[in-house]
Amino acid sequence: MYGIHDLTLFIISGLLLNIMPGPDSLLIMARSATQGWRAGCAAALGVGAGTMVHVTAAAVGISALLAASATAFNLVKWIGAAYIVWMGIGMLRARLKGEAASLAPKAAPAPAPYHRIFAQGFLTNVLNPKVALFFLAFVPQFISADSPNKAAAFFLLGCIFNFNSMLWCNGLALFTAFASARLKVKPLVALWLNRITGSLFVALGARLALSEQH
């Protein structure tokens, strides 16, 4: 259909690529470990919404601008890097809810509203130009040169990729929340998990800022 070929290989490759750790997975795991599976799933849905922006943009050719224009790529790159670093700093500055940790060791980290967690997942994904370039490089390999409607084929494959990604991301959220509950992660430990994740986000943001267009 639409000139799509090797669909099974595309699905398997997509699942393997989704398993690779990155800022999306780190955010989902951090939110699940510190606030439960609903928060992790909210982050995962935000990531999925961001992915659909990239899929749609690439299907209509907008993302090709990022591949062709160094200025456009650098603009999106710096905005995305700044957001990821800003979010990491926010995690580093996390405090226990209510009082200071030394005065209230049994308090829980202040929870973030689900709509804010969704927005974090969305922005973390949509402001990463590497995701747009990934779709431009990966998806066309599974579309025939004589496809009657390449945009439709691209969009369909992008939806399949995102569906599989949501299965993985939401499964990751549930697994992380379940493991945290079984291990009975204490609030202070959860707080430091937030801070460690924040440090990783700062590092990832710096790496994105220093990345080159390929």
Side-chain angles (χ1 to χ4, degrees):
M1 180 170 34
Y2 298 121
I4 295 172
H5 59 84
D6 296 321
L7 183 58
T8 301
L9 178 60
F10 173 82
I11 292 173
I12 294 173
S13 301
L15 286 171
L16 291 174
L17 289 167
N18 278 312
I19 292 173
M20 295 175 63
D24 295 341
S25 298
L26 285 174
L27 178 64
I28 292 167
M29 293 176 69
R31 290 307 182 189
S32 292
T34 58
Q35 203 172 321
W37 67 269
R38 290 182 178 84
C41 288
L45 291 174
V47 169
T51 300
M52 285 310 302
V53 172
H54 286 294
V55 169
T56 304
V60 299
I62 296 175
S63 291
L65 176 65
L66 294 178
S69 171
T71 300
F73 178 87
N74 287 328
L75 178 62
V76 176
K77 178 185 73 172
W78 282 104
I79 293 173
Y83 176 75
I84 291 174
V85 170
W86 175 78
M87 189 164 57
I89 292 173
M91 290 181 172
L92 284 170
R93 297 177 62 189
R95 296 287 185 273
L96 291 179
K97 183 174 62 177
E99 304 176 18
S102 58
L103 299 178
K106 294 184 179 180
Y114 294 144
H115 70 273
R116 183 182 300 169
I117 296 173
F118 176 91
Q120 287 178 341
F122 176 80
L123 291 173
T124 298
N125 185 277
V126 82
L127 290 177
N128 187 349
K130 290 288 189 179
V131 179
L133 297 182
F134 160 76
F135 277 110
L136 285 176
F138 178 67
V139 176
Q141 298 179 47
F142 298 90
I143 302 175
S144 300
D146 58 352
S147 170
N149 193 332
K150 292 183 175 62
F154 198 110
F155 186 78
L156 178 58
L157 286 173
C159 289
I160 293 171
F161 180 91
N162 200 26
F163 176 78
N164 291 331
S165 174
M166 287 297 92
L167 291 178
W168 164 254
C169 289
N170 283 280
L172 182 63
L174 292 171
F175 174 80
T176 304
F178 175 77
S180 298
R182 289 295 298 269
L183 294 172
K184 296 181 179 179
V185 176
K186 296 181 179 180
L188 190 58
V189 175
L191 179 68
W192 278 101
L193 282 174
N194 248 333
R195 290 176 176 174
I196 291 171
T197 305
S199 300
L200 292 173
F201 265 81
V202 171
L204 285 168
R207 181 180 178 185
L208 176 60
L210 296 173
S211 65
E212 298 293 336
Q213 184 179 18
H214 297 292

